[in-house]
Amino acid sequence: MNEVYEFLKKCGTYYLATAEGDQPRVRPFGTIDIFEGKMYIQTGKVKDVSKQLQANPKAELCAFCDGVWVRIACRLIRDENVKAKEHMLDAYPSLKGRYSAEDDNTEVLYLEDAVATFSSFVDEPKTVRF
């Protein structure tokens, strides 16, 4: 998990794919955090991505950096733990102008049953499960 986390931090931006009915939806994300042994992302409950994940928690994250990419298939599970939200917002203080750990909008989701595959054009794929 730490290898995946470090790669996503290095990339800065990753792309999150969800489903809305039979329509795939992809958008850039940048928040990634580890709290109490779980990897988290953050969004707002008012956003379409939150509604999509509540209807179907299956998702994929994808990032590319220095000729290597990772695809992470997982389920994203909402966590209402205020401490998890605080930890995320402390890691991304620029979000504190729009989000608060105690508001009813801030949402952190942890990756469950994650399968990360690192690939490149020169090396054999490497799979990490967490």
Side-chain angles (χ1 to χ4, degrees):
M1 179 175 65
N2 286 331
E3 181 180 5
V4 174
Y5 170 78
E6 291 299 331
F7 186 82
L8 293 174
K9 289 291 281 187
K10 179 180 174 184
C11 291
T13 299
Y14 60 90
Y15 295 86
L16 174 65
T18 60
E20 186 173 54
D22 67 348
Q23 179 63 49
R25 301 288 183 194
V26 180
R27 79 280 291 152
F29 263 66
T31 54
I32 195 75
D33 195 24
I34 293 180
F35 178 73
E36 294 185 345
K38 296 178 184 173
M39 188 179 305
Y40 284 82
I41 69 167
Q42 184 275 333
T43 191
K45 291 179 185 176
V46 299
K47 294 183 177 182
D48 288 343
V49 64
S50 175
K51 295 172 180 88
Q52 293 157 6
L53 288 168
Q54 293 314 302
N56 179 358
K58 291 182 181 178
E60 284 200 6
L61 289 71
C62 184
F64 180 84
C65 188
D66 298 331
V68 177
W69 61 93
V70 66
R71 289 182 52 199
I72 308 162
C74 63
R75 292 174 9 100
L76 288 169
I77 308 301
R78 180 184 283 171
D79 188 345
E80 294 292 351
N81 182 341
V82 171
K83 296 290 184 195
K85 294 176 186 182
E86 287 173 349
H87 198 270
M88 177 67 79
L89 294 174
D90 286 345
Y92 295 90
S94 64
L95 295 176
K96 291 182 179 183
R98 291 179 284 164
Y99 296 100
S100 161
E102 297 175 0
D103 67 21
D104 195 37
N105 181 39
T106 302
E107 178 175 49
V108 292
L109 304 109
Y110 62 86
L111 284 69
E112 183 176 77
D113 300 327
V115 179
T117 304
F118 289 92
S119 301
S120 75
F121 291 117
V122 295
D123 295 320
E124 290 295 316
K126 175 184 174 183
T127 300
V128 177
R129 298 175 188 276
F130 57 95

